[in-house]
């Protein structure tokens, strides 16, 4: 990946992609994800935007931006919904595992957890997909505001503390702090 990034930087590309990382995200291998992004970013022309393909979970948006990724995309909001999984900035929860709807659930504010669990699958998944999109776009706005305020690191730190797998990312960030400070 480093060599490919170095070669790509010698082209006239307007945007650089980082791909092939979805399996790392799906398996919760966030340390490896961060190592991959840094290996690529170190070899790229820093003046050009970077697209982190498949990064669609809101718990990763602040980290992706902190590492220098400018664009990310995914259909995970719909994929998660098709499995009755709700996305949050603090992780993912299966609908069946929820006793109450978290306060972040605003896609159908007047619906009860019981109603959501018993409704027709297609309608339920549509509501969950809308929830997942709302959480995603809200987090993107939160990241933009943190950049504006100069508090992106604090947001990243908060997000990393939400999961043992994400906590391990601190080790990689510590090793890369000299490069990050550039």
């Amino acid at each position: 990946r480093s060599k490919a990034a170095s070669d790509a930087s010698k082209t006239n590309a307007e945007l650089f992609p980082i791909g092939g990382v979805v399996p790392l995200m799906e398996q919760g291998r966030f340390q490896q994800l961060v190592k991959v992004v840094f290996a690529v970013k170190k070899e790229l022309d820093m003046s050009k935007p970077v697209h982190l393909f498949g990064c669609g979970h809101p718990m990763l948006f602040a980290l992706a931006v902190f590492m220098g990724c400018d664009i990310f995309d995914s259909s995970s909001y719909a994929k998660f919904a098709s499995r009755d999984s709700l996305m949050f900035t603090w992780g993912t929860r299966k609908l069946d595992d929820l006793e109450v709807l978290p306060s972040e659930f605003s896609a159908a504010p007047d619906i009860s957890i019981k109603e959501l669990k018993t409704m027709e699958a297609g309608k339920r998944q549509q509501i969950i997909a809308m929830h997942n999109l709302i959480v995603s776009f809200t987090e993107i706005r939160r990241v933009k505001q943190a950049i504006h305020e100069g508090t992106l690191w604090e947001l990243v730190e908060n997000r990393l503390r939400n999961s043992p797998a994400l906590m391990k990312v601190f080790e990689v960030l510590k090793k890369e702090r000299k490069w990050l400070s550039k």
Side-chain angles (χ1 to χ4, degrees):
R1 288 178 188 254
S2 296
K3 174 152 179 25
S6 177
D7 291 347
S9 281
K10 296 171 186 162
T11 69
N12 290 329
E14 294 181 22
L15 174 99
F16 295 118
I18 300 176
V21 294
V22 171
L24 299 175
M25 290 182 268
E26 288 177 342
Q27 297 164 12
R29 296 172 51 204
F30 302 117
Q31 266 187 314
Q32 189 63 32
L33 168 68
V34 171
K35 288 177 182 178
V36 165
V37 172
F38 282 139
V40 173
K41 285 288 298 179
K42 287 178 179 179
E43 299 300 324
L44 291 176
D45 176 348
M46 296 295 271
S47 70
K48 305 283 179 79
V50 171
H51 182 163
L52 184 58
F53 278 96
C55 182
H57 200 295
M59 72 180 189
L60 296 175
F61 294 167
L63 176 62
V65 171
F66 184 75
M67 292 186 300
C69 298
D70 305 285
I71 304 166
F72 30 88
D73 74 302
S74 177
S75 60
S76 62
Y77 75 94
K79 288 179 186 176
F80 278 64
S82 73
R83 299 186 302 249
D84 283 342
S85 293
L86 290 89
M87 300 164 72
F88 300 97
T89 58
W90 40 268
T92 305
R93 296 296 180 273
K94 293 281 292 167
L95 180 61
D96 285 342
D97 295 338
L98 294 173
E99 183 68 26
V100 297
L101 288 170
S103 60
E104 295 93 334
F105 186 83
S106 64
D110 297 331
I111 199 167
S112 72
I113 187 93
K114 183 179 179 183
E115 291 171 306
L116 187 60
K117 286 181 177 182
T118 58
M119 73 175 38
E120 184 267 321
K123 178 143 176 67
R124 179 181 59 249
Q125 291 170 0
Q126 188 176 26
I127 291 171
I128 294 172
M130 180 59 68
H131 158 79
N132 291 344
L133 277 174
I134 290 169
V135 170
S136 295
F137 285 117
T138 300
E139 182 66 359
I140 289 168
R141 288 191 302 273
R142 190 174 290 121
V143 169
K144 287 180 178 183
Q145 184 64 30
I147 292 167
H148 174 74
E149 294 172 350
T151 59
L152 182 58
W153 168 246
E154 288 81 1
L155 182 61
V156 170
E157 191 174 29
N158 178 278
R159 298 298 180 250
L160 295 181
R161 293 187 188 284
N162 286 318
S163 141
L166 281 169
M167 287 279 294
K168 294 177 182 177
V169 169
F170 279 117
E171 297 170 25
V172 180
L173 294 178
K174 185 177 179 181
K175 289 178 185 172
E176 296 292 348
R177 70 178 163 218
K178 185 184 265 186
W179 182 81
L180 278 167
S181 68
K182 293 179 185 178

